[in-house]
Amino acid sequence: MLKINNLHVKLEEEDKQILKGLSLEVPAGQVHAIMGPNGSGKSTLSYVLSGRDGYEVTEGEATLDGNDLLDLEPEERAAAGLFLAFQYPVEIPGVGNMTFLRTAVNAQRKARGLAEMSSAEFLKAIRAKAAELQIDAEMLKRPVNVGFSGGEKKRNEILQMAMLEPRMCIMDETDSGLDVDAMRLVADGVNALRSPDRSFLVITHYQRLLNHIQPDVVHIMSNGRIVKSGGPELALQVEEEGYGDLLAEAG
Amino acid sequence: MSDTAVQTKEVTPQVSGAPVAADALQTRLDAMHLPAGGFTSAARADALTRLRDMGLPGPRDEYWRFTNPRDFNAPAPAPISVPEKMQDSPLFQDLDRLKLIFVDGEFDAVASDSLGLEGIQIETLAQADEVADHWAKGIYGSLEAAGQKPVNRPFAALNTVSARDGMLIRVTGKPSKPVHIVHRRASEDADVTWHHVIRAEEGAELTLLETGMVGARSNGMIEADLARGAKLNYIGARQAVHQKLELSHIFARVESEAQLKAFVLSVNGTLMRHETVVDIVGDDALAHVAGAVLGDGNDGPFHHDDTIFITHGGLRCESRQVYKKVLKNGAEGVFQGKILVKPGAQKTDGYQISQALLLDERSQFLAKPELEIYADDVVCSHGSTTGAIDETALFYLRSRGVPKERAIVFLVLSFLADALEEIEDEDLRGQISDRLEAWLTRHENQ
Ligand SMILES: Nc1ncnc2c1ncn2[C@@H]1O[C@H](COP(=O)(O)OP(=O)(O)OP(=O)(O)O)[C@@H](O)[C@H]1O
Ligand SMILES: [Mg+2]
């Protein structure tokens, strides 16, 4: 589903190379995890894939279902099925959660040639999904992420993901800031979305999330590259030993 | 927070001061059809003397440096065509309200609702001229005159001199519905002066709405006198075709425990100047004034100026000024706002914020925030910012599939939210918000 080949990315404004020949493939229906030290470029990868300004791709390519991603606008990538759960979800005062999310859902439906969802349909769907994630319906009336706790923001990201039904979900440290119960809720939310034609790329620092969301493959990222890939046991190894030996061994 | 530097503009220098200015004023007056007789005649004569003393403003006057008064000084406005089928704005149409229609500044009794409503006495300035000892006599032109210190406001004096019509509203109770003044246009070159006088008696409450476009050029004024515990909510949305020239004034006198809340929405317009002068004379009173402005220079030049002066003269009073301007395609915004705290006005809580969202680099915002405080136990703050669209928020919205232009509409509404919050009534706020959204949507791709 997602194919990244030899991706080189630098900052647009500075002469700083962040991704240095990253290659990765996530087949349909699989969950891949990325772990790696702070500053290795994990968030940058997620931003470049979803089309944030400020980065320049100097080499390599990224495709979703064989279609070039890197030339598309962020909203076109979303319509193509890509979703990023942000490491730091953004607060937008004065814009209601519901209004925002309904606009997003309908814009994507329109781009895919589907009929728009009516207010009633939307309300019904979001109420059900919010209940599953134990998000208070009152919260949905508030402005986007304003006054939400750190954990509530992360759950709100998963709610958006559940409503938008993307095919390729990238989650950037969705587990950080979540209490134990909230992590289980989020994991349940993700597991409920797992299907043969939906894939996940889960960026995390902790093995614990991966107990709840079983990954097919774990990648270790360092200095702008994937340096090692393996099964779930790789995450356990990181948890126990840290990155030292792993990175040394990878050279 | 940034105080923006004075903008220099090419202006024709006036050759020799006073005589030229006096000529210009006379020409300006000669071009008008001035009222005669009636209970306002003494106030008009007084205003004329004051006006001759100060003369018309020039670009060197302290409060006219950012806004060139030339088009307001000119004897007549350029005509603006009137479409065959003029529609009232949809704003407040489905509300239960008392509707008062003005056509080119003249009251249209046939098109208006009947003036009877419990808790309120409504007359027109033109008709009331017949009455000798009118309740409005002590107010008409007198709040304006008081507001001439310490800053001259020549167009306000000109308004008092030349107003032929407007509403005289005396509120004695709590009328069951808002009063809605709707302005309509009939002739292309109408140069209109309108002047409302409002007296809210002790404990009385009124919501006053005003919409529509006034003439090719207009000079409007509300003088509002709020007795103890009275409450006035004013929402103005004088939207229009782009070319209009608009001056408007609010002069308010606020007694103890009274509350003034005024919100003005401005979209379109070549040159607009809104002056708001509030004199808080009692204790525990409140004055909130706010404005939201949307300007698109693509339709022609756009210049909008809010000039605010709030005086605190009582104990424990609260004032707020919340002004937000969204400017694109070379539109210009100006904010000049002052809080004056008189000696002895302790426990004053004064707040002022003016912010501009510039959607491109050609647009500009000039701000002159001022505080003058002669009491020691007060909290006053002011801030002014100029910024662009928040790129992170924009990316966040787009990453959810919201198209860029739509995402910008969301962020503009987000920027304006604080100003809209000053509208107390949720339904009215919603209607203003819808109107903003409609305008933004129409102007999305420009
Ligand atoms: N816009 C930017 N300006 C300057 N430096 C940047 C920018 N974006 C990323 N970087 C730098 O690029 C490197 C990679 O950052 P990135 O946020 O992708 O790391 P990460 O792997 O997500 O780290 P963490 O685990 O701490 O979230 C860091 O050194 C960071 O400082
Ligand atoms: Mg990161």
Side-chain angles (χ1 to χ4, degrees):
Chain A
M1 170 155 328
L2 178 68
K3 268 191 198 161
I4 305 166
N5 180 35
N6 191 30
L7 194 62
H8 287 71
V9 171
K10 69 179 271 293
L11 291 177
E12 218 164 48
E13 305 272 289
E14 284 171 54
D15 227 7
K16 180 168 176 172
Q17 200 74 31
I18 300 176
L19 301 185
K20 303 168 180 173
L22 183 139
S23 299
L24 181 70
E25 185 174 347
V26 187
Q30 291 200 357
V31 175
H32 285 210
I34 297 185
M35 302 179 84
N38 294 131
S40 53
K42 303 181 297 296
S43 293
T44 302
L45 172 65
S46 71
Y47 287 148
V48 169
L49 291 175
S50 46
R52 185 172 187 157
D53 280 345
Y55 304 100
E56 190 185 328
V57 176
T58 52
E59 210 183 321
E61 55 272 342
T63 58
L64 186 65
D65 299 323
N67 301 315
D68 183 11
L69 265 184
L70 301 177
D71 275 347
L72 301 179
E73 298 295 335
E75 56 269 36
E76 293 171 330
R77 301 183 199 204
L82 190 77
F83 180 89
L84 169 62
F86 280 50
Q87 182 172 359
Y88 305 108
V90 182
E91 296 185 9
I92 307 180
V95 177
N97 246 312
M98 290 282 212
T99 315
F100 153 59
L101 196 48
R102 193 155 87 89
T103 306
V105 166
N106 280 334
Q108 291 203 18
R109 292 180 68 93
K110 194 172 161 202
R112 293 174 193 156
L114 298 170
E116 294 200 350
M117 245 181 167
S118 73
S119 286
E121 282 173 292
F122 177 80
L123 210 63
K124 202 171 152 209
I126 195 167
R127 284 222 176 104
K129 294 200 159 125
E132 281 168 25
L133 287 159
Q134 295 188 7
I135 291 176
D136 188 355
E138 277 304 303
M139 245 169 71
L140 299 175
K141 292 186 192 155
R142 298 218 299 256
V144 180
N145 289 326
V146 176
F148 288 30
S149 74
E152 286 169 345
K153 284 180 186 168
K154 296 298 181 76
R155 267 185 282 160
N156 195 27
E157 294 289 285
I158 302 306
L159 175 65
Q160 292 176 22
M161 185 164 96
M163 287 300 294
L164 292 166
E165 300 182 328
R167 300 190 53 235
M168 180 68 229
C169 309
I170 305 173
M171 295 162 58
D172 191 357
E173 293 195 29
T174 301
D175 51 338
S176 61
L178 290 181
D179 66 40
V180 183
D181 295 334
M183 187 173 317
R184 187 162 294 123
L185 282 176
V186 163
D188 289 348
V190 169
N191 287 329
L193 285 171
R194 288 185 72 161
S195 86
D197 59 351
R198 180 172 290 131
S199 310
F200 294 83
L201 189 58
V202 180
I203 298 169
T204 182
H205 286 296
Y206 307 105
Q207 195 269 334
R208 195 166 60 197
L209 179 69
L210 305 180
N211 281 339
H212 299 298
I213 308 171
Q214 279 282 322
D216 297 287
V217 180
V218 174
H219 305 277
I220 307 297
M221 181 163 175
S222 168
N223 196 17
R225 263 187 228 108
I226 300 298
V227 293
K228 191 173 166 87
S229 303
E233 71 286 350
L234 203 50
L236 280 167
Q237 191 186 340
V238 167
E239 184 88 359
E240 276 161 28
E241 301 170 12
Y243 290 110
D245 286 355
L246 269 171
L247 297 185
E249 174 195 326
Chain B
M1 309 276 154
S2 72
D3 278 77
T4 325
V6 177
Q7 171 205 14
T8 45
K9 262 191 183 171
E10 283 304 311
V11 287
T12 330
Q14 298 204 335
V15 192
S16 63
V20 176
D23 283 355
L25 174 58
Q26 196 53 52
T27 315
R28 179 81 160 86
L29 286 165
D30 289 345
M32 301 179 106
H33 175 33
L34 297 176
F39 81 89
T40 60
S41 52
R44 293 199 314 267
D46 173 63
L48 185 57
T49 310
R50 290 187 280 112
L51 177 59
R52 290 204 196 280
D53 262 3
M54 48 189 142
L56 290 171
R60 285 195 197 82
D61 290 8
E62 191 184 350
Y63 286 90
W64 287 94
R65 280 193 205 139
F66 297 159
T67 297
N68 191 326
R70 185 182 47 218
D71 289 347
F72 294 139
N73 286 340
I80 303 174
S81 66
V82 179
E84 226 163 273
K85 235 179 133 33
M86 280 284 278
Q87 296 268 334
D88 288 338
S89 151
L91 262 181
F92 313 134
Q93 293 278 17
D94 50 4
L95 212 67
D96 184 21
R97 73 223 143 112
L98 186 101
K99 190 167 78 176
L100 306 174
I101 309 281
F102 280 80
V103 180
D104 283 344
E106 275 178 47
F107 182 63
D108 182 340
V110 176
S112 300
D113 291 341
S114 103
L115 302 185
L117 181 64
E118 196 166 320
I120 189 168
Q121 274 170 253
I122 306 176
E123 299 159 78
T124 65
L125 184 58
Q127 298 286 307
D129 271 353
E130 311 305 324
V131 186
D133 229 354
H134 201 277
W135 62 263
K137 196 169 170 180
I139 304 173
Y140 184 93
S142 85
L143 300 193
E144 174 262 302
Q148 295 285 354
K149 283 183 278 288
V151 180
N152 281 347
R153 305 173 194 279
F155 294 118
L158 178 65
N159 180 299
T160 297
V161 169
S162 62
R164 304 179 57 79
D165 211 350
M167 296 315 303
L168 305 179
I169 299 178
R170 181 157 172 256
V171 198
T172 53
K174 296 177 182 173
S176 57
K177 50 187 172 185
V179 171
H180 182 190
I181 296 172
V182 179
H183 291 280
R184 291 178 183 161
R185 300 180 59 216
S187 77
E188 311 199 311
D189 54 359
D191 187 17
V192 174
T193 309
W194 55 270
H195 191 132
H196 308 320
V197 178
I198 298 165
R199 162 75 182 170
E201 303 293 353
E202 206 169 307
E205 289 181 14
L206 175 69
T207 295
L208 180 64
L209 311 170
E210 188 161 33
T211 58
M213 176 168 172
V214 196
R217 181 171 69 180
S218 64
N219 179 350
M221 188 183 300
I222 295 174
E223 286 180 293
D225 190 15
L226 309 191
R228 172 182 285 270
K231 207 170 162 185
L232 174 65
N233 283 316
Y234 175 77
I235 299 176
R238 291 182 293 270
Q239 70 282 17
V241 296
H242 192 85
Q243 301 93 317
K244 75 170 168 179
L245 308 172
E246 180 181 284
L247 274 164
S248 78
H249 306 85
I250 296 176
F251 288 92
R253 190 172 158 278
V254 182
E255 289 183 25
S256 291
E257 290 159 42
Q259 300 196 355
L260 168 73
K261 292 202 169 177
F263 174 91
V264 175
L265 167 70
S266 303
V267 297
N268 307 337
T270 298
L271 178 62
M272 281 164 290
R273 162 102 154 193
H274 293 175
E275 296 198 14
T276 305
V277 181
V278 180
D279 196 9
I280 305 178
V281 296
D283 301 334
D284 302 297
L286 174 151
H288 287 190
V289 294
V293 173
L294 299 174
D296 186 345
N298 247 8
D299 303 333
F302 177 95
H303 183 99
H304 188 286
D305 174 335
D306 277 299
T307 295
I308 319 295
F309 197 112
I310 295 191
T311 304
H312 280 263
L315 298 170
R316 298 174 302 273
C317 295
E318 178 190 309
S319 72
R320 282 172 71 81
Q321 305 173 36
V322 183
Y323 286 84
K324 303 260 187 167
K325 303 192 186 212
V326 180
L327 305 168
K328 67 196 277 192
N329 295 315
E332 299 167 355
V334 171
F335 175 83
Q336 312 184 96
K338 180 159 179 170
I339 307 173
L340 169 67
V341 181
K342 286 187 170 174
Q346 303 296 10
K347 306 279 182 206
T348 287
D349 179 356
Y351 175 78
Q352 177 196 96
I353 183 86
S354 66
Q355 295 183 302
L357 176 63
L358 305 183
L359 296 182
D360 54 57
E361 280 163 14
R362 294 191 293 131
S363 301
Q364 64 169 338
F365 179 59
L366 303 166
K368 180 180 158 108
E370 291 177 284
L371 289 179
E372 201 176 324
I373 300 176
Y374 298 102
D376 52 7
D377 186 14
V378 304
V379 182
C380 281
S381 64
H382 66 63
S384 181
T385 65
T386 302
I389 285 282
D390 177 349
E391 288 298 329
T392 306
L394 183 62
F395 172 61
Y396 186 70
L397 294 170
R398 295 178 75 190
S399 77
R400 269 49 180 151
V402 179
K404 182 177 181 189
E405 299 305 331
R406 191 79 212 142
I408 290 176
V409 170
F410 275 138
L411 295 176
V412 169
L413 289 171
S414 166
F415 167 77
L416 293 171
D418 294 344
L420 261 66
E421 277 302 310
E422 295 296 330
I423 302 173
E424 223 172 54
D425 185 288
E426 216 173 299
D427 180 34
L428 299 179
R429 192 190 318 134
Q431 295 207 24
I432 293 283
S433 176
D434 291 348
R435 159 93 192 130
L436 286 167
E437 195 173 332
W439 187 94
L440 289 164
T441 306
R442 274 200 306 281
H443 288 247
E444 255 180 21
N445 295 312
Q446 298 192 354

